[in-house]
Amino acid sequence: MSVVNYDEDVLIKEQGFDDHFHDHHHGDKYQSNFITTYIFSQDHKIIGKQFLITGMIWAIIGAGMSIIFRLQLGFPDDSLTWIKPLLGKWITVNETTGIGTLAPEFYYALVTMHGTILVFFVLTAGLSGTFSNLLIPLQIGARDMASPLLNMLSYWFFFIAGVVMFCSLFLSTGPFAGGWTAYPPLSALPQASDGSGAGMTMWVASLVLFVVSVLLGGVNYITTVLNLRTKGMTMWRMPLTIWAFLITAILGLLSFPVLVSALLLVMCDRGLGTSFFLSEIFVGGEALNHVGGSPVLYQHLFWFLGHPEVYIIILPAMGLTSEVLSVHARKPIFGYKAMVFSILAIAFLSFIVWAHHMFMSGVNPFISNFFVIFTLIIAVPSAVKVFNWIATLYGGNIRFVSAMLFAMGFVSLFISGGLTGIFLGNAAIDIQMHDTYFVVAHFHIVMGIAAFFGMFAGIYHWFPKMYGRFMNETLGRIHFWGTMIGAYAIFWPMHYLGMAGVPRRYYRFDNFETFSHFSQMNQFITIAAIIVFFLQILFVVNFFVSIWKGKRVTTKNPWGATTLEWTTPIDAGHGNWPGNIPAVHRWAYDYGKDGVEFIPQIVPLTDEEKENEADLH
Amino acid sequence: MADLSYEDSKKLVFKGMALLAVVTLIEVAIALVGKGYVIEGFHLPVWLMYISMIGLSLYKAYFIVYEFMHMKYEVKGLAMSVLLPTGLLVWAVIAFFNEGNSWNQRRTLIKEKNAETIDDTRKSTGSIIDLKDVKNLN
Amino acid sequence: MAHDTAHTDVIPEQGHLEHKDYMDSHDGPAWGGGKRPFKASYGKLMMWYFLLSDAFTFAGFLIAYGAIRFSMPTWPVPDHVFSAFPGGFHGWPLIFVTVMTFVLILSSVTMVRAVQEGHRRNKRGVMFWMALTIIGGAAFLGCQAWEWNTMINEEGVTVTKNPFSTHLQGGTYLTGAEIEGAGFEKVMTETHGKTATYYLEPGAEDIEENRLFVKQNHQKEVLAGESFKEEDPYLITYNHDTHLYEPSAFKTPDGSIHKEAFGPIAFGSLFFFITGFHGFHVFSGVVFLLIILINVASGLYHNRSNNYEMVEKIGLYWHFVDLVWVFVFLVFYLL
């Protein structure tokens, strides 16, 4: 075949199907004023933006906290008096020297809140919440989510969860300070520490609200993907983003309820005097009445959520990366089906490996063997994905735009962070490595920074769809290179700290002979962290300025992508397509096929054209 | 219920009720007979009781889901998308119960060790742990 | 097009986008899009997936229960614990909970009938069977209330105290004279206006920890002199006059004197928590059923294009509650 000639609007009109959308929309009474359009909106695109912006606010708060405790770790003797206006009583100023020190309890509160906020509010809600909402209806060809009302509630439950958590920061006893995993007894005994009282209660309340949000969203995403796909959009024609969001939603649906179980039992231990997670405890020299429970039981329940949660964070980033890599390499994704099956395999394995977080908590070593084996098997589907991404890049006509740079950065980070996971997954090596900076480095690279890179790739790539404008490309590249180098500068040295045995969650190290010679390395990490933090501020500025001042998008499909979201009008209204819903005739990755640069999914196959391999099932 | 007439499906419901009631009665009967409440001195082996009661409960669950909740009449994909994920719990059950059992063993071991009187005559092997104890630790 | 736009306004869960004509007819030509693979409306699908996640919440609780139970050297024997029956009957193992289970099964059956009548668009039929279902649910809650009341107020089980346990060795309960003969002092004190009689080792400091009682049951029948075997269940009597638990003295074959120990406290806390969580589901089910019954009565669903699907959805939830009870019944009462 030679050149494909098509006009998208004509195609949608002729090939698409009429769902009588306009018969019901004589003036959209659901978007009649500012409040229903932008605040209590039921449009998935607006809800996606709400998730994104709320997530960005939380990211700044969470990252800001990390800067404060990094200052403490890098420069333990320097004065923090300048930050007293913000932290108030948590900075004690020595009256003679004028040196302000961070209260140790608040250091723990900061670490705890940093973890909680980043894991749940930013990388779960901010990432999968944003892009599932934005992309699922657009890429499968639906007017909106299955239940827009529940979708809206999903955001507002997240918002309230955030408000509760935010309020807990201002408690006189401080927010919860027992680590984001909230292990008992610190979480189960209100008198265990300052933050274990009201702080923990609010932490639990916030997380339960958050789980409600995840479930409302997840049930919606799954149902939408399964039941609302447009004509011709078979499962094997879905872009990998949609596969990733679908599996992510399933993971959330199955794992978050178990967290609720654990938290409700913790609340009983706190309030009713039960002993699910407590046994033979002394506080202040006095024996408590709690007998017969096990703190390890909580850890099991927590990590039954906690490990799938890691994939809830990383799978959407993988999906976004796959899509962005393919579009900007102008090549079909390599091994589409292998990608899908590896997502499924990872999702399955994520439910049977949880105790590898607990090798040193007193888990029976016999059962640990199985957890080691299952854990190491995850390397296989992960490696398949990495191989396919690299193979997608190979020989591609790569456009080095910001989105593409971040997607490639994701692959880099996923490799280097993933490899250290193989170390930690071995129970024997974990004896040395557990609870050291090696662990911190591992999970920050593989699911923290990598997930952020996937998110940035998504934001730069779909910004034109969200706001009808481009983000500033120069600032984007500065953002990428600074963050890429900076992220490695922060976390690479941490591997060495960890291998030397430097424990995580310590307030300061200079009292330890063994660790004191790492002080310069800690300073280096802190400085790198501050630079990276300000680069993210640069990104936020770029984001908001571009919303109003960015270069306008002039064509519907600025990146030359094949998926359905680029067939909607630039400023798509509620319902996404003004007339018919487009019908789909091919998979999402027809790039460079038969000499044509790209063929959108809505273009019918010509007579002599063969479907791609993924369609032949 | 598209493939059944109204009268048939009505009958099926009351059959289902009878079935569930009978299965529940059998379960209770196994519990009572097996533990010697009915016939003096007659006991069933514990494993047999447990397996049969778990099996019957799973059958009840299957019946409720497939008949009462109409899973039987849904598309296979829908049924699988709901039922297969519950398989993820199998390993959780094994691992958690194994853990519980191991806590029990350790507590017993600690209790025994606390009650033990130290045998001073035993010669030092140079090893910190007595190999005999290692076996018990599991 | 059978429906008008005004009609949409009264469907809250439908949101604003009227998907109806291509969503809610099962296989009619109106669906212009791709095949709806699951041939079910989005509402039913969402209910299924919600139930799946709720199943994992219960699974979390029940698996935690299993882990804790496995970690205990003893566990109360269920047919000893659950052997009371309304009307002051005792020693009827598992009879009352069997009745409770029947009640729940019955209410499930009436729910299926309500759904079937919904398929026939028989409004009166739906209302009749739903009302029966609500009565069944309420009756179940009533049974549960009675059971909790018996356990808490008569037998003295609380979330932090469990007087039910199992003997780890055989022995014989001692009479007052035998205990005194072994060198214990008889003490009589006033508590709550009644006299409590117990026996103390001379010089014992912690009275609450060390006092011994003569075995008597809740009906004040003295059981001293009775023998028991290893693994026999027992209940530490809660004296309603003195408000004291009465751990009794017994003698083992080797001649040493022991006192009944309290059972694993996790039993009470897990029982109340998990049956309470299930009861909460039943309660919310009853509330939803009531709301939907009122909606049915008002004729709301009768004219909807998806008819009585709301009844089907609450039906799914209701059967799920029954389903959970199958497992609660299994692990708490049977095993």
Side-chain angles (χ1 to χ4, degrees):
Chain A
M1 73 184 246
S2 52
V3 185
V4 187
N5 281 314
Y6 58 84
D7 179 329
E8 285 173 2
D9 293 331
V10 175
L11 270 175
I12 295 176
K13 207 171 169 196
E14 289 175 356
Q15 303 279 339
F17 67 92
D18 185 7
D19 62 340
H20 305 282
F21 179 59
H22 275 279
D23 293 2
H24 311 294
H25 285 259
H26 314 287
D28 194 340
K29 73 182 166 64
Y30 294 92
Q31 290 206 351
S32 51
N33 58 35
F34 181 82
I35 290 181
T36 49
T37 311
Y38 293 107
I39 298 178
F40 294 106
S41 171
Q42 299 189 16
D43 183 352
H44 69 99
K45 297 189 289 298
I46 300 286
I47 296 173
K49 290 175 198 169
Q50 288 175 327
F51 268 107
L52 179 58
I53 291 171
T54 317
M56 281 164 72
I57 293 167
W58 275 115
I60 294 169
I61 296 174
M65 289 173 167
S66 74
I67 295 306
I68 297 173
F69 65 70
R70 260 334 299 184
L71 282 171
Q72 164 64 32
L73 288 170
F75 306 93
D77 295 323
D78 289 12
S79 177
L80 286 171
T81 314
W82 57 273
I83 210 170
K84 192 169 170 65
L86 184 65
L87 297 186
K89 71 166 186 171
W90 302 112
I91 301 281
T92 33
V93 180
N94 185 320
E95 285 186 8
T96 45
T97 57
I99 289 178
T101 26
L102 182 68
E105 316 88 82
F106 199 65
Y107 171 83
Y108 288 113
L110 285 173
V111 175
T112 305
M113 285 298 123
H114 170 76
T116 309
I117 289 168
L118 264 299
V119 167
F120 292 114
F121 293 170
V122 181
L123 293 176
T124 302
L127 179 54
S128 92
T130 302
F131 287 102
S132 298
N133 264 302
L134 179 74
L135 293 180
I136 286 177
L138 281 173
Q139 288 195 331
I140 65 168
R143 294 283 183 206
D144 204 322
M145 287 288 176
S147 173
L149 178 77
L150 295 187
N151 204 29
M152 177 185 83
L153 288 177
S154 163
Y155 171 74
W156 286 104
F157 270 101
F158 164 52
F159 185 82
I160 299 167
V163 169
V164 173
M165 192 65 83
F166 191 72
C167 290
S168 84
L169 300 177
F170 300 97
L171 289 168
S172 66
T173 47
F176 181 54
W180 80 276
T181 52
Y183 283 177
L186 284 178
S187 60
L189 288 173
Q191 68 271 39
S193 74
D194 275 356
S196 302
M200 177 62 188
T201 306
M202 289 179 81
W203 190 90
V204 170
S206 169
L207 277 204
V208 170
L209 289 165
F210 182 77
V211 173
V212 173
S213 156
V214 171
L215 294 184
L216 285 171
V219 166
N220 231 330
Y221 306 153
I222 296 171
T223 310
T224 308
V225 172
L226 292 179
N227 230 27
L228 283 181
R229 299 192 306 273
T230 184
K231 190 175 185 173
M233 179 62 89
T234 61
M235 295 296 267
W236 291 116
R237 283 176 180 167
M238 294 198 309
L240 285 171
T241 35
I242 302 299
W243 272 108
F245 299 144
L246 173 67
I247 304 299
T248 303
I250 294 173
L251 288 181
L253 189 78
L254 302 180
S255 62
F256 272 104
V258 181
L259 176 70
V260 174
S261 311
L263 293 182
L264 290 179
L265 292 174
V266 160
M267 285 314 280
C268 285
D269 278 5
R270 294 165 63 75
L272 300 175
T274 57
S275 309
F276 296 116
F277 304 133
L278 295 169
S279 192
E280 287 99 18
I281 295 265
F282 288 78
V283 172
E286 205 180 317
L288 302 184
N289 283 327
H290 297 284
V291 182
S294 169
V296 181
L297 176 62
Y298 173 87
Q299 300 187 13
H300 275 296
L301 288 171
F302 180 86
W303 286 112
F304 189 85
L305 152 88
H307 197 75
E309 168 65 22
V310 173
Y311 291 98
I312 290 170
I313 287 171
I314 202 69
L315 283 181
M318 287 177 167
L320 296 169
T321 300
S322 306
E323 178 70 15
V324 171
L325 283 180
S326 177
V327 172
H328 293 291
R330 314 308 291 153
K331 273 186 69 190
I333 193 82
F334 187 89
Y336 172 84
K337 275 196 171 176
M339 289 300 242
V340 174
F341 285 123
S342 54
I343 292 178
L344 290 169
I346 288 173
F348 170 72
L349 288 168
S350 74
F351 276 97
I352 59 173
V353 297
W354 73 88
H356 66 211
H357 297 269
M358 307 158 48
F359 285 145
M360 294 303 290
S361 304
V363 174
N364 185 343
F366 174 72
I367 206 88
S368 287
N369 289 329
F370 294 95
F371 283 103
V372 170
I373 294 166
F374 295 148
T375 303
L376 296 185
I377 293 174
I378 299 187
V380 177
S382 306
V384 168
K385 294 193 80 76
V386 167
F387 177 81
N388 287 354
W389 286 321
I390 294 172
T392 303
L393 291 175
Y394 178 76
N397 188 8
I398 298 176
R399 300 192 295 220
F400 287 98
V401 290
S402 308
M404 184 61 165
L405 290 172
F406 274 106
M408 293 196 290
F410 171 90
V411 178
S412 158
L413 289 160
F414 187 70
I415 294 171
S416 38
L419 285 175
T420 52
I422 299 176
F423 289 59
L424 293 169
N426 280 293
I429 304 177
D430 195 56
I431 294 171
Q432 162 72 6
M433 301 292 198
H434 87 282
D435 259 354
T436 65
Y437 272 85
F438 193 87
V439 180
V440 177
H442 161 68
F443 72 73
H444 273 92
I445 291 184
V446 78
M447 75 166 223
I449 306 298
F452 262 110
F453 270 48
M455 191 173 176
F456 289 137
I459 294 171
Y460 282 105
H461 186 79
W462 278 285
F463 194 86
K465 191 70 253 164
M466 284 192 262
Y467 295 103
R469 290 171 188 269
F470 289 98
M471 285 180 74
N472 185 303
E473 194 55 35
T474 316
L475 289 180
R477 286 176 197 194
I478 294 170
H479 178 213
F480 168 75
W481 287 110
T483 312
M484 185 76 186
I485 296 165
Y488 274 116
I490 297 168
F491 294 111
W492 199 259
M494 282 192 190
H495 291 98
Y496 299 106
L497 294 178
M499 282 192 273
V502 181
R504 63 194 279 212
R505 292 188 172 132
Y506 274 34
Y507 173 65
R508 57 191 297 166
F509 292 104
D510 45 0
N511 291 336
F512 301 93
E513 191 75 21
T514 339
F515 305 136
S516 52
H517 64 281
F518 289 124
S519 62
Q520 282 179 338
M521 203 183 252
N522 268 322
Q523 287 175 11
F524 174 78
I525 293 172
T526 300
I527 291 166
I530 293 169
I531 294 169
V532 170
F533 177 72
F534 282 104
L535 280 165
Q536 309 318 306
I537 301 290
L538 180 74
F539 162 76
V540 172
V541 171
N542 186 0
F543 182 89
F544 284 102
V545 171
S546 299
I547 292 178
W548 288 283
K549 304 276 179 201
K551 195 177 82 182
R552 275 189 185 282
V553 176
T554 47
T555 60
K556 272 188 186 179
N557 192 354
W559 302 125
T562 59
T563 41
L564 290 181
E565 75 270 30
W566 304 108
T567 64
T568 61
I570 292 169
D571 187 15
H574 201 184
N576 298 338
W577 288 269
N580 291 352
I581 295 184
V584 167
H585 300 278
R586 54 181 76 236
W587 75 332
Y589 298 100
D590 270 342
Y591 292 100
K593 189 183 190 188
D594 301 334
V596 185
E597 194 193 354
F598 70 100
I599 313 174
Q601 287 186 279
I602 58 170
V603 178
L605 294 167
T606 57
D607 292 339
E608 63 267 41
E609 190 185 358
K610 274 191 189 149
E611 288 179 284
N612 65 294
E613 147 217 29
D615 268 341
L616 304 170
H617 53 82
Chain B
M1 307 295 287
D3 31 357
L4 285 179
S5 76
Y6 171 68
E7 292 301 323
D8 283 349
S9 46
K10 214 161 86 175
K11 252 186 246 160
L12 195 76
V13 174
F14 291 107
K15 261 190 208 159
M17 177 181 77
L19 186 92
L20 287 181
V22 168
V23 172
T24 308
L25 276 181
I26 294 174
E27 281 179 333
V28 175
I30 291 174
L32 297 185
V33 174
K35 288 172 191 165
Y37 286 93
V38 182
I39 310 160
E40 195 63 42
F42 178 79
H43 291 263
L44 284 174
V46 175
W47 62 266
L48 184 65
M49 276 166 54
Y50 280 14
I51 286 179
S52 52
M53 288 190 291
I54 292 169
L56 288 171
S57 292
L58 287 175
Y59 176 72
K60 265 162 58 175
Y62 157 82
F63 190 85
I64 291 171
V65 173
Y66 267 72
E67 291 293 343
F68 284 7
M69 296 169 95
H70 289 189
M71 194 58 113
K72 202 171 158 186
Y73 309 96
E74 304 288 1
V75 177
K76 200 177 164 210
L78 169 56
M80 289 304 116
S81 74
V82 174
L83 298 179
L84 284 184
T86 55
L88 294 170
L89 293 171
V90 173
W91 171 239
V93 169
I94 297 170
F96 273 74
F97 290 5
N98 187 288
E99 273 292 281
N101 200 29
S102 129
W103 302 332
N104 188 7
Q105 284 174 8
R106 285 184 217 185
R107 282 176 190 155
T108 318
L109 185 74
I110 290 169
K111 222 178 249 169
E112 281 169 10
K113 289 283 155 195
N114 284 342
E116 214 170 67
T117 45
I118 296 165
D119 179 9
D120 288 334
T121 60
R122 203 158 68 179
K123 275 196 189 127
S124 168
T125 56
S127 148
I128 301 168
I129 318 168
D130 189 332
L131 285 176
K132 267 195 310 200
D133 301 342
V134 175
K135 275 186 215 131
N136 298 332
L137 270 166
N138 185 5
Chain C
M1 205 67 51
H3 57 275
D4 54 354
T5 32
H7 175 101
T8 9
D9 298 349
V10 292
I11 306 175
E13 85 286 354
Q14 199 83 20
H16 52 94
L17 286 177
E18 190 53 31
H19 292 303
K20 250 193 228 334
D21 28 0
Y22 69 99
M23 282 205 48
D24 292 329
S25 61
H26 277 260
D27 28 33
W31 169 250
K35 277 185 290 178
R36 268 192 321 169
F38 287 175
K39 296 201 171 92
S41 72
Y42 77 92
K44 251 162 91 177
L45 266 185
M46 289 174 99
M47 180 50 97
W48 269 115
Y49 295 127
F50 163 72
L51 294 181
L52 179 62
S53 78
D54 211 19
F56 270 67
T57 316
F58 273 106
F61 290 137
L62 291 178
I63 291 175
Y65 162 84
I68 290 181
R69 184 165 166 179
F70 266 94
S71 76
M72 295 292 166
T74 61
W75 197 254
V77 178
D79 20 52
H80 175 66
V81 180
F82 307 103
S83 64
F85 197 84
F89 297 100
H90 295 272
W92 289 20
L94 302 185
I95 304 302
F96 184 65
V97 71
T98 312
V99 173
M100 276 171 77
T101 309
F102 278 141
V103 170
L104 208 55
I105 291 174
L106 272 180
S107 80
S108 235
V109 169
T110 53
M111 191 69 233
V112 181
R113 289 290 298 118
V115 174
Q116 288 177 346
E117 294 300 332
H119 283 298
R120 300 174 73 211
R121 294 173 46 77
N122 175 3
K123 186 172 134 186
R124 293 182 61 90
V126 175
M127 285 170 61
F128 174 74
W129 291 108
M130 277 188 78
L132 281 186
T133 310
I134 291 169
I135 293 170
F140 179 84
L141 286 174
C143 291
Q144 203 164 35
W146 183 85
E147 191 183 40
W148 277 38
N149 181 53
T150 310
M151 284 182 78
I152 296 169
N153 291 325
E154 288 188 22
E155 296 163 342
V157 187
T158 68
V159 288
T160 52
K161 209 75 173 171
N162 169 29
F164 281 104
S165 191
T166 310
H167 283 296
L168 290 171
Q169 45 190 338
T172 312
Y173 286 115
L174 297 176
T175 61
E178 282 171 321
I179 302 174
E180 273 186 289
F184 289 79
E185 278 170 21
K186 186 173 184 173
V187 183
M188 293 171 91
T189 49
E190 282 290 288
T191 31
H192 291 87
K194 294 281 160 64
T195 316
T197 312
Y198 52 82
Y199 300 85
L200 260 184
E201 213 167 348
E205 278 178 15
D206 189 343
I207 295 172
E208 215 170 303
E209 192 60 30
N210 289 303
R211 63 187 168 209
L212 302 175
F213 292 83
V214 175
K215 183 77 182 172
Q216 61 170 1
N217 64 15
H218 283 109
Q219 287 74 41
K220 301 267 190 279
E221 298 161 354
V222 177
L223 301 177
E226 280 195 8
S227 293
F228 50 84
K229 298 191 295 294
E230 187 187 341
E231 291 194 358
D232 275 358
Y234 63 87
L235 165 63
I236 296 174
T237 310
Y238 180 73
N239 191 318
H240 292 276
D241 294 334
T242 57
H243 299 248
L244 292 179
Y245 289 95
E246 300 188 335
S248 315
F250 63 85
K251 199 168 163 181
T252 51
D254 64 3
S256 55
I257 293 179
H258 297 265
K259 175 182 88 145
E260 289 173 327
F262 279 92
I265 58 173
F267 173 77
S269 26
L270 284 165
F271 176 81
F272 289 120
F273 187 81
I274 295 178
T275 58
F277 197 70
H278 176 262
F280 172 70
H281 274 71
V282 178
F283 175 75
S284 26
V286 168
V287 171
F288 288 129
L289 280 167
L290 268 174
I291 294 170
I292 290 167
L293 176 65
I294 292 167
N295 283 346
V296 172
S298 73
L300 177 67
Y301 305 127
H302 205 70
N303 300 320
R304 272 196 185 176
S305 64
N306 62 358
N307 285 313
Y308 288 94
E309 193 187 282
M310 191 54 91
V311 179
E312 258 180 78
K313 282 185 267 186
I314 190 68
L316 285 179
Y317 177 82
W318 192 255
H319 298 311
F320 173 75
V321 170
D322 194 11
L323 180 70
V324 171
W325 182 254
V326 168
F327 291 99
V328 173
F329 180 62
L330 174 71
V331 300
F332 275 104
Y333 297 90
L334 291 177
L335 295 183

